[in-house]
Amino acid sequence: MVVPCSPGTCFLRCKGVRVKQLRHFFWVGSVVLAVLVAAPMAATAQSQGASKHASAKKSTTEAKRKAVAKRSARVVRPARPSDAMRAGLHGTRDPLSLRSSVAYVVDQETQEVLFSKNEEAVLPIASLTKLMTALLISEAELPLDESITITRDDVDTEKGSTSRLRVGATLTRGELLHLALMSSENRAAHALGRTYPGGLDVFVEMMNAKAQLLGMQDTRFVEPTGLSSKNKSSARDLAVLVDVASEDELLRDYSTSRAHQVADGRRKLMFSNTNRLVLNPSWEIGLQKTGYISEAGQCLVMQAKVAGRNVIMVFLDSAGKLSRLGDAERVRRWVESIPARQQIVPVTDNRTEPQATRVL
C-alpha cells in the first residue's frame, strides 16, 4: 500500500536528498581541490630532490674524476733512473739482446767466463745483499731455533717499504733466514743482523770483512737488507759470492723453496718465492736471489745446471720486472746451443764502453 505524500512531507524528503547530494559533491570537490593543490607541491619537491640528487651525484663523479686523474698522474710520472741508466750502460749492445745492463755467466767448475757484459761496473745491488747476510748467519752457526722478535728498529726508514711481519712478531732465526732468502723479507734480514753477536754495526763490519776475504774488491755493504743504494758490487764479485753461497746446503734449500708458512700469534702467514723460475720444472736451480730498488733496477743471481754444466748467472739493472727472468731464459737457451768449451772475445759497442762478449 502506497502512502500518499503530502506537499510538506515531500518537500522535506526532497530537501534531505538534496542536502546529502550537496554534502557528497562538497566532499568530492574538497578532495579534488586538495589533489590539485598538492600535485604541484609534490612536483616541486620531487624536482628539488632530483636536483639535490643530481648535484650530489655530480659532486661524487667530480671527486672520482679528480681521484682517477691524481692516480693517473702518479702512474705516468717517470720512474727515477737507475745508476746504470745514468751511466749510459743501457746503451751497451750484446749478441743476445739482453735487457739487463749487466750480465755475467760463468762455468762454476772451470771458472770459464761464458758471457760478459759490463761485468766490472760497480752498481747498487739491492736485495742481492741478503745473500751475504744469510751466508754470515749460516757460517756463524747460531741456533736456528732461537726466537727473535721484530722491533721498531727493523722497520724500513730508508725506502718506507712495508712488511707482513708486524712489530712484535716473534719467529725463530731459521724462519727469518728462510723468509729473507726466499721472499726477500727486509725486516727479517734486518733482525738477523741486529741480533748478531755484537749488534748491527759488528755485523756490517763482518759483511765487508767477508767480502774482502773472498776477493770481492768492488763490494761494500752498509746494512744487511739491500734497501740502501750504498750497498754496491760488480757482477764479477757477485759471481764469487754465489759460488761460495751455493756450497751451503741450508742457503740452497731456503733460497729455492717455493713457499713457507709461519705463525704470528694466531695468524698464519704464507710467503712465496720472489723468483717464479723455481716453479718451472725445466729449470734446475741450486741457489737464487732477486733484488730491486730504483737505483739498482731489477736484479737476479742464480746457480743452475744448464746443459749438464753448473752455471752461475748474474743480471743487474734489468729493464722491466720480468725482463731479468727473460734474460735468464735467453742465456740458458744460448748455453744449451754451444759446445762444452768455446773461446770468447770482447765485442766493442760503437756507442758505449765497457764491452759485451761473443762466442767464436
Side-chain angles (χ1 to χ4, degrees), residues 258-273:
R258 295 186 176 189
H260 184 64
Q261 180 176 273
V262 297
D264 177 11
R266 295 183 178 181
R267 294 193 308 164
K268 299 292 184 180
L269 301 177
M270 180 64 73
F271 292 81
S272 58
N273 202 303

Side-chain angles (χ1 to χ4, degrees), residues 99-136:
R99 298 196 64 189
S100 298
S101 296
V102 174
Y104 194 58
V105 184
V106 184
D107 185 307
Q108 190 176 16
E109 305 300 329
T110 65
Q111 295 301 305
E112 176 187 5
V113 178
L114 304 177
F115 187 93
S116 65
K117 174 184 176 181
N118 298 328
E119 77 282 0
E120 295 182 358
V122 179
L123 299 168
I125 59 174
S127 286
L128 302 184
T129 298
K130 295 183 177 72
L131 206 52
M132 177 62 85
T133 298
L135 180 63
L136 287 182

